[in-house]
């Protein structure tokens, strides 16, 4: 990632916390999951301050169009994800169906 080591560190912290809690709570049949999506088309990504972080040389509209978000994807096809798909994953992980 570019210009955001704090974001990368926080993602790693979430995974570490999830693993530690999963190990501690497993004897009590409590599951622990973390959902850490890639770039999702939300106001957290789509805002002028974020555009300036990645492309301070461009105005906001140009930066939105030419953002470097695609460089962060392992897949050659770049698209911002939809929040709705992540919501469904969280609901399923919270359901009894995920435990079977």
């Amino acid at each position: 990632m570019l210009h955001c080591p704090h974001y990368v560190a926080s993602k790693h912290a979430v995974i570490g916390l999830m693993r530690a809690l999963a190990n501690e709570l497993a004897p009590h049949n409590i599951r622990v999951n973390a959902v850490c999506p890639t770039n999702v088309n939300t106001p957290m990504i789509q805002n002028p301050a974020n555009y300036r972080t990645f492309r301070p040389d461009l105005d906001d509209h140009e930066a939105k169009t030419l953002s470097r978000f695609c460089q962060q994807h392992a897949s050659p096809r770049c698209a911002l994800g939809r929040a709705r798909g992540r919501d469904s994953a969280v609901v399923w992980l919270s359901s009894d169906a995920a435990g079977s």
Side-chain angles (χ1 to χ4, degrees):
M1 283 198 189
L2 215 32
H3 304 296
C4 47
H6 56 287
Y7 183 77
V8 174
S10 67
K11 285 255 186 172
H12 283 275
V14 167
I15 297 299
L17 178 62
M18 182 267 320
R19 287 179 177 167
L21 287 172
N23 287 329
E24 285 191 33
L25 298 173
H28 305 287
N29 292 317
I30 297 172
R31 292 174 285 125
V32 180
N33 297 287
V35 177
C36 298
T38 186
N39 295 326
V40 178
N41 192 10
T42 64
M44 183 179 124
I45 296 289
Q46 300 290 6
N47 68 76
N50 202 34
Y51 304 148
R52 284 190 297 277
T53 298
F54 288 91
R55 293 303 306 262
D57 56 316
L58 300 176
D59 68 38
D60 290 342
H61 178 68
E62 290 175 311
K64 178 181 179 182
T65 304
L66 302 172
S67 73
R68 293 184 182 164
F69 299 131
C70 293
Q71 294 174 357
Q72 299 170 14
H73 289 261
S75 170
R77 192 189 77 161
C78 175
L80 291 177
R82 293 186 345 244
R84 178 169 291 200
R86 280 52 174 197
D87 293 349
S88 299
V90 171
V91 169
W92 183 81
L93 286 170
S94 302
S95 73
D96 290 337
S100 53

